[in-house]
Amino acid sequence: MADSPIRVAVLISGSGTNLQALIDAQQRGELPVTIAVVVSNRPGVLGLNRAQNAGIPTQVIDHREFNSRTAFDKAMMIAIDQYQPDLLVLAGFMRILTPEFVGHYTGRMMNIHPSLLPNYPGLHTHRRALEAGDAYHGVTVHFVTEQLDGGPPIVQARVPVLPDDTEEALAERVLEQEHVIYPLAVRWFAEGRLHLEGDRSKLDGELLPPQGHLIDATG
Ligand code: GAR
């Protein structure tokens, strides 16, 4: 384990249930991190209240106040770097990032995406899995690279698609697993066990399989 807790910046755009899972794990003593700041590109979202309730500093950088992606990302970088994070955690952060931003944080930025990547990058993942008639669906935590929802996977959790599933029921089943695997991936990083090496994730000195570590929650 690292000697002192690493500093984490969490980026959100909405309700922040993944942020809450990280706060809860940290408060239970299961996550050796200091959440140094929560940054939202949207004012007034529930995730900001969650951070404030946990005594975590917050910053709102409203993307609508910038006339380019580059200017927005630059403002984000300046705000984030004041907190000297070791890791950036994108937790429902719904903006496409510029290559400059991604390059600045390469190897120290993770995202969670609600599908078994490389299936269904982008939006409406649960609907698309249902429409395709998939037997399984799930969620991926991955290092962020310039590819949208596409960097090297760290961990995936797989859930069943049930015969009478609605989009909402499936989303809920996936979200439950999100709250398991995101704290796990952040813990591995905080413990110094997880690294990005080239285009693969490495855990405990071993390259992970292309889909990352698999957690089977279909049973
Ligand atoms: C989560 O389902 C997360 O996987 C998804 O947004 C939701 C945020 O929920 N992220 C993406 O779709 C990224 N492409 P939360 O705000 O309650 O954590």
Side-chain angles (χ1 to χ4, degrees):
M1 189 179 290
D3 293 330
S4 56
I6 66 159
R7 295 174 62 76
V8 175
V10 182
L11 274 56
I12 62 167
S13 300
S15 69
T17 65
N18 279 287
L19 165 66
Q20 190 68 56
L22 295 169
I23 292 170
D24 292 347
Q26 195 269 337
Q27 289 181 346
R28 285 195 302 265
E30 294 168 2
L31 206 53
V33 305
T34 298
I35 304 179
V37 65
V38 170
V39 181
S40 174
N41 67 306
R42 290 191 178 279
V45 294
L46 181 55
L48 288 167
N49 298 346
R50 296 178 189 276
Q52 281 150 9
N53 289 341
I56 300 167
T58 59
Q59 296 263 326
V60 174
I61 302 173
D62 188 338
H63 63 278
R64 294 167 301 188
E65 291 174 5
F66 296 85
N67 56 20
S68 71
R69 240 180 240 292
T70 304
F72 169 68
D73 278 12
K74 187 120 205 268
M76 293 258 295
M77 279 190 259
I78 290 167
I80 291 165
D81 286 350
Q82 284 172 5
Y83 294 88
Q84 301 187 307
D86 302 295
L87 177 67
L88 256 62
V89 170
L90 309 185
F93 183 71
M94 304 303 275
R95 301 292 302 167
I96 293 172
L97 298 164
T98 57
E100 290 75 17
F101 188 96
V102 173
H104 187 60
Y105 298 107
T106 299
R108 51 190 183 114
M109 175 159 57
M110 303 178 179
N111 181 42
I112 191 159
H113 182 75
S115 76
L116 295 172
L117 290 171
N119 294 345
Y120 314 127
L123 300 174
H124 310 303
T125 57
H126 310 304
R127 188 188 314 166
R128 288 153 71 196
L130 284 173
E131 282 170 2
D134 292 350
Y136 302 110
H137 185 45
V139 53
T140 306
V141 174
H142 63 93
F143 280 112
V144 176
T145 61
E146 283 180 33
Q147 205 187 341
L148 174 68
D149 297 324
I154 298 163
V155 52
Q156 288 193 328
R158 189 164 66 173
V159 303
V161 179
L162 301 179
D164 294 328
D165 258 345
T166 59
E167 206 176 322
E168 292 71 28
L170 183 55
E172 198 175 314
R173 197 171 309 123
V174 170
L175 195 61
E176 196 178 314
Q177 293 304 314
E178 298 193 28
H179 300 162
V180 174
I181 70 169
Y182 222 175
L184 178 65
V186 172
R187 177 158 65 80
W188 285 341
F189 191 91
E191 291 174 344
R193 297 168 54 191
L194 175 69
H195 303 276
L196 176 66
E197 188 159 298
D199 60 357
R200 294 281 287 278
S201 302
K202 213 171 181 181
L203 179 66
D204 295 332
E206 305 272 346
L207 285 179
L208 283 166
Q211 81 278 14
H213 177 84
L214 182 64
I215 292 183
D216 190 355
T218 59

